[in-house]
Amino acid sequence: MTTVMTAEESAGTHATDSHDVIRVQGARENNLKDISVEIPKRRLTVFTGVSGSGKSSLVFSTIAAESQRMINETYSSFVQGFMPSLARPDVDVLEGITTAIIVDQERMGANARSTVGTATDANAMLRILFSRLGEPHIGSPQAFSFNVASISGVGAVTIERGGETTKERRSFSITGGMCPRCEGMGTVNDIDLTQLYDDSKSLNGGALTIPGYTADGWGVRIYTGSGFVDGDKPIRDFTEKELHDFLRKEPTKVKVGDMNMTYEGLIPRVQKSFLSKDREAMQPHIRAFVDRAVTFTACPDCGGTRLNEGARSSRINGINIAEACAMQISDLAGWVRSIDEPSVAPLLRNLQHIFDSFSEIGLGYLSLDRPSGTLSGGEAQRTKMIRHLGSSLTDVTYVFDEPTIGLHPHDIQRMNALLLQLRDKGNTVLVVEHKPEAIAIADHVVDLGPLAGAHGGQVMFEGTVEGLRASGTLTGRHLDDRATVKPSVRGATGVMQVRGASEHNLRDVDVDIPLGVLTVVTGVAGSGKSSLIHGSVATRDDVVSIDQGAIKGSRRSNPATYTGMLEPIRKAFAKANGVKPALFSANSEGACPNCNGAGVIYTDLGVMASVSTTCEVCEGKRFDAAVLDYHLGGRDISEVLGMPVAEALGFFAEGEARIPAVHAILARLADVGLGYISLGQPLTTLSGGERQRLKLASHLGEKGGVYVLDEPTTGLHLADVENLLGLLDRLVDSGKTVIVIEHHQAVMAHADWIIDLGPGAGHDGGLVVFEGTPAELVAARSTLTGEHLAAYVGA
């Protein structure tokens, strides 16, 4: 039998070999200006450019989003109904894309019950291990779960068989691992009643001091209208029964006016509405109330382990599951290796792989019982990477968003090795990155710019790292920037004493933080920097703490609403035109009636992606046409919200539109390098670096003598780091004390004083290994930080 060969095959090539690039043509997502790029497959491509230049729009919102959308479309419409519907990105052609696995910086679910163990499947495997090998044997894997309560019941059930109805007695029981006292939370709370209400006032007189409980709101009306308490009597005059009904009455159906409602005592209501959420996920004013009103202590029954006595009694080689989860993961890996039991060999192998991956990725210092809401952005991203490290998948696209965030220069080398390992297995690796050490390992570079926002969105360079250096683009020019250690440093005006700090892994640390200067706290990831500063400094009076927490906001939120400047702008418009301020809000009376102030109409197509079209009535301006007839300084409200910060700075500085409060906020936005974003730009369209700087600008207006910043260079381009250092200098020169937790060598070199923690991570860290000026640290080279800083400044 003869086979016919094509011309291509006879030449030794195959048609499939021609698909070796991801081709993007005409991408217009967010600020992208109709760009086209070709990205080589099975290579490591790094996307560079200033914060807001369009990197994430190209990588996440175009390539990764289309890959996910097309995979979702392969499922049946029934399954698609349960999945988020994704709209097709605004792009003409996308060819050669493969399955995309996204590893982003989003904080892990801030659910109070979520821990490192539950988020990585390690807990699930440990529970199976203990249910098989634990002595004494107490039950199935759920007997070791702190999220499953033990319950039992007995009663009659009605069964229909062959047209006849019979009753049978049945009993059931579930053995769970949840501690009954704290309900698996690990902490019990004690509520300070004086922070919930003022007992000298009546409920109608505004006695409740809980956020959201106003005298005329439903939160209070359900109490005053229930008939259980007298709304006009001061709380201190309540009878014993009234006070019990007010504070602790179990849920009861009542009629308030003509509405059926469920009445519940104030304490259980506060516990359900405020204390079931993780503290990290709360809005600032709610968090302040909870910190004031509630004291959390480790549960006395379970000792904070969340598990009941039964789950804690079962042991393997003398260790119970609570002790295993509390161990540092690098130690836990050794314990798992010591278990020699062929019957559970596959389980032990998987556990060893997970724990070894933690150590490999530089997270061996964590423990499985660490709440996932307390992980930093960088730690969360690396925890998500764990499940991909041992994967046998090849020819997939891994998409990383600044994987070096939160990493010491020493750890970046390790991260680079992992990225290259993923590539060498035959995968396409796309990385959005700013750090020169991470850009250096790229096979291919795509540089976006030239600037940010409306002035970005163009491809400035495609090629090798060497080509980027010689290209003359903003990134190319700054790629080899090396800061020098300051020849002279400022002198301290005093010291802030920290004594006996022992939070997390800190080992009874005593340190003096100088006042009136720029202090940088550094050390490898997990050495105890955040524990020292957030645990012992950020909680003090006169301290403004700016952490890494993400900005929360919907597509109706924008810089004007987030920073609070929209309120004085609305009042100025109202005063100038003699009308109500509410008219100048797109979320209130001034909203376009057709789109309800959204600017776009959303059409839901069931399992298909919903379609958004610009509102034809207001043409995307979001306001009712009548509102746009009112002007301030010759501009209507939609034109004011459309202005970039830099232009608005001049507009609100003089003439009829002069508003000093707004001008001060705009000046701070310009200070942090956000002069190009418009006042009404939805927060959902801002990049990670832009959101961080917006948060920084809003906090700069707070009154305080000490500013604590947690990795402010996150998401910042090399060129923007210079602007940030200028801002920090201006803060110090104005008499403030600035304390920065940072890994960026340019910030370390610029410091007046350095506190280096280490020497390692987890229980190998927690000590101050150096205190002094950057020049002394470079000269001594006694720590990992000293070695890397010396190499950076070329000493």
Side-chain angles (χ1 to χ4, degrees):
M1 184 179 163
T2 57
T3 54
V4 180
M5 290 178 73
T6 63
E8 264 190 332
E9 286 170 334
S10 61
T13 60
H14 195 285
T16 53
D17 295 334
S18 61
H19 303 286
D20 54 359
V21 292
I22 296 173
R23 196 159 71 87
V24 182
Q25 208 171 308
R28 291 176 295 276
E29 273 296 306
N30 296 331
N31 67 333
L32 297 179
K33 295 192 171 73
D34 209 16
I35 65 171
S36 300
V37 289
E38 288 196 348
I39 300 160
K41 284 189 187 172
R42 293 175 286 282
R43 296 290 182 274
L44 180 88
T45 301
V46 173
F47 295 80
T48 60
V50 296
S51 172
S53 60
K55 304 182 297 296
S56 296
S57 298
L58 175 60
V59 179
F60 290 93
S61 307
T62 305
I63 298 171
E66 179 65 355
S67 170
Q68 289 211 307
R69 187 185 73 85
M70 295 183 88
I71 289 167
N72 286 3
E73 282 192 352
T74 63
Y75 299 117
S76 68
S77 56
F78 172 75
V79 173
Q80 286 183 54
F82 296 99
M83 303 174 98
S85 59
L86 303 164
R88 187 182 187 281
D90 191 359
V91 59
D92 294 335
V93 177
L94 258 178
E95 287 179 347
I97 52 176
T98 66
T99 307
I101 294 173
I102 299 170
V103 188
D104 59 18
Q105 289 169 35
E106 288 299 314
R107 288 293 181 96
M108 294 176 79
N111 183 319
R113 294 184 177 278
S114 174
T115 65
V116 170
T118 59
T120 56
D121 300 339
N123 260 34
M125 290 189 206
L126 271 181
R127 291 200 298 269
I128 298 170
L129 187 69
F130 273 87
S131 71
R132 298 290 185 275
L133 303 183
E135 289 293 334
H137 175 76
I138 60 162
S140 69
Q142 63 187 14
F144 296 92
S145 170
F146 52 75
N147 289 328
V148 179
S150 294
I151 51 173
S152 58
V154 64
V157 293
T158 304
I159 301 169
E160 282 197 18
R161 279 199 198 101
E164 288 189 10
T165 302
T166 57
K167 284 194 173 184
E168 290 182 13
R169 185 179 169 80
R170 293 274 174 95
S171 64
F172 75 96
S173 70
I174 294 172
T175 306
M178 180 188 285
C179 167
R181 170 122 183 222
C182 64
E183 296 184 357
M185 301 296 274
T187 55
V188 287
N189 51 60
D190 195 12
I191 296 177
D192 180 357
L193 297 181
T194 61
Q195 297 294 338
L196 302 188
Y197 57 80
D198 177 351
D199 67 358
S200 65
K201 294 180 180 174
S202 67
L203 289 172
N204 288 332
L208 294 188
T209 53
I210 305 167
Y213 282 70
T214 53
D216 55 348
W218 274 109
V220 175
R221 277 169 67 187
I222 192 166
Y223 290 101
T224 56
S226 64
F228 296 124
V229 295
D230 182 349
D232 295 318
K233 184 163 50 168
I235 293 175
R236 63 167 60 140
D237 297 338
F238 278 8
T239 63
E240 201 170 313
K241 183 176 187 319
E242 279 182 318
L243 196 60
H244 174 271
D245 287 348
F246 173 52
L247 293 177
R248 294 188 168 81
K249 192 170 182 68
E250 60 283 349
T252 310
K253 290 270 188 286
V254 294
K255 204 171 179 78
V256 179
D258 53 358
M259 292 183 73
N260 292 318
M261 303 188 83
T262 301
Y263 177 96
E264 189 173 26
L266 189 65
I267 290 175
R269 178 174 280 206
V270 166
Q271 284 174 326
K272 279 180 189 164
S273 56
F274 293 108
L275 306 186
S276 58
K277 289 190 185 131
D278 186 74
R279 186 182 172 279
E280 307 294 320
M282 293 174 183
Q283 292 173 292
H285 69 288
I286 303 287
R287 191 184 308 171
F289 161 71
V290 169
D291 289 347
R292 232 180 21 246
V294 187
T295 50
F296 294 94
T297 50
C299 171
D301 285 13
C302 67
T305 62
R306 305 170 178 238
L307 292 160
N308 60 24
E309 199 175 339
R312 300 197 311 275
S313 68
S314 184
R315 295 176 178 270
I316 301 174
N317 295 354
I319 298 280
N320 67 26
I321 192 166
E323 291 161 350
C325 289
M327 287 165 107
Q328 188 164 305
I329 288 172
S330 51
D331 297 341
L332 185 57
W335 177 74
V336 169
R337 278 197 178 81
S338 72
I339 301 172
D340 181 22
E341 185 56 62
S343 64
V344 289
L347 190 60
L348 292 170
R349 206 166 38 246
N350 268 356
L351 274 170
Q352 277 175 23
H353 169 69
I354 287 182
F355 298 149
D356 289 345
S357 297
F358 267 105
S359 300
E360 208 178 311
I361 212 161
L363 292 177
Y365 59 86
L366 295 177
S367 60
L368 295 183
D369 61 3
R370 168 99 173 252
S372 55
T374 65
L375 297 180
S376 69
E379 286 171 334
Q381 186 174 23
R382 284 181 288 152
T383 302
K384 290 178 199 168
M385 274 182 80
I386 294 215
R387 63 182 62 235
H388 306 305
L389 287 183
S391 169
S392 307
L393 288 173
T394 62
D395 264 325
V396 295
T397 301
Y398 285 97
V399 186
F400 291 96
D401 189 4
E402 290 188 64
T404 60
I405 280 183
L407 289 188
H408 188 271
H410 167 71
D411 298 316
I412 290 178
Q413 297 167 350
R414 199 188 256 166
M415 176 59 77
N416 283 350
L418 290 169
L419 294 174
L420 292 171
Q421 185 184 322
L422 283 173
R423 177 203 67 185
D424 293 344
K425 276 166 57 178
N427 296 307
T428 307
V429 182
L430 308 182
V431 183
V432 172
E433 193 48 87
H434 291 293
K435 293 264 174 74
E437 303 97 316
I439 296 170
I441 63 163
D443 301 311
H444 187 74
V445 179
V446 178
D447 187 33
L448 290 153
L451 299 170
H455 306 295
Q458 300 173 46
V459 176
M460 305 309 294
F461 171 82
E462 278 186 87
T464 62
V465 178
E466 287 310 312
L468 177 66
R469 276 202 176 88
S471 66
T473 65
L474 194 60
T475 308
R477 290 200 304 275
H478 286 276
L479 199 56
D480 291 319
D481 276 4
R482 291 293 179 266
T484 52
V485 176
K486 287 199 291 196
S488 62
V489 294
R490 303 177 183 95
T493 57
V495 293
M496 180 190 293
Q497 294 186 338
V498 175
R499 295 289 177 266
S502 54
E503 194 167 341
H504 297 315
N505 65 331
L506 294 176
R507 292 189 257 170
D508 210 22
V509 169
D510 295 343
V511 67
D512 290 336
I513 300 170
L515 297 175
V517 300
L518 173 60
T519 300
V520 171
V521 181
T522 185
V524 295
S527 58
K529 304 180 298 299
S530 297
S531 301
L532 174 66
I533 300 303
H534 290 305
S536 302
V537 177
T539 51
R540 300 186 184 194
D541 293 337
D542 202 35
V543 173
V544 177
S545 175
I546 305 165
D547 61 15
Q548 287 185 332
I551 281 181
K552 293 175 179 66
S554 68
R555 57 177 172 243
R556 285 180 178 269
S557 307
N558 53 49
T561 58
Y562 181 79
T563 58
M565 72 171 111
L566 194 57
E567 193 65 28
I569 290 173
R570 285 203 297 255
K571 285 179 178 168
F573 262 98
K575 190 176 176 187
N577 295 283
V579 289
K580 286 195 299 188
L583 281 176
F584 302 98
S585 167
N587 299 328
S588 185
E589 292 180 31
C592 163
N594 191 44
C595 62
N596 294 324
V600 287
I601 305 284
Y602 294 96
T603 311
D604 184 20
L605 298 175
V607 297
M608 308 292 287
S610 59
V611 177
S612 60
T613 49
T614 303
C615 172
E616 293 171 4
V617 176
C618 66
E619 296 173 346
K621 290 180 179 177
R622 303 175 60 201
F623 290 92
D624 189 355
V627 174
L628 301 182
D629 291 337
Y630 300 117
H631 290 81
L632 177 71
R635 306 275 186 118
D636 66 42
I637 184 72
S638 71
E639 288 170 336
V640 167
L641 291 176
M643 283 185 196
V645 167
E647 186 186 336
L649 202 55
F651 178 75
F652 287 109
E654 56 199 16
E656 185 197 2
R658 182 175 177 274
I659 312 174
V662 173
H663 188 266
I665 295 170
L666 290 167
R668 290 199 293 273
L669 287 172
D671 261 352
V672 297
L674 290 179
Y676 59 88
I677 65 170
S678 63
L679 307 193
Q681 186 174 338
L683 289 189
T684 48
T685 64
L686 296 183
S687 70
E690 287 169 334
R691 290 185 201 189
Q692 173 122 5
R693 283 182 285 165
L694 181 62
K695 186 175 185 177
L696 175 59
S698 65
H699 282 290
L700 287 179
E702 292 180 22
K703 296 282 178 279
V706 179
Y707 282 86
V708 171
L709 287 82
D710 194 348
E711 293 190 53
T713 60
T714 299
L716 287 193
H717 186 263
L718 300 159
D720 294 326
V721 173
E722 291 175 21
N723 298 338
L724 178 76
L725 291 174
L727 173 66
L728 298 181
D729 275 342
R730 287 196 294 279
L731 275 175
V732 175
D733 293 340
S734 69
K736 307 284 188 192
T737 298
V738 179
I739 302 167
V740 182
I741 300 171
E742 191 52 85
H743 292 292
H744 202 297
Q745 294 103 317
V747 182
M748 292 180 207
H750 200 75
D752 299 309
W753 193 255
I754 284 189
I755 297 170
D756 192 18
L757 287 153
H763 57 42
D764 299 324
L767 295 171
V768 173
V769 291
F770 176 85
E771 289 178 82
T773 65
E776 290 165 354
L777 178 62
V778 167
R781 298 192 193 196
S782 56
T783 68
L784 277 172
T785 307
E787 287 171 25
H788 283 279
L789 186 57
Y792 180 80
V793 299

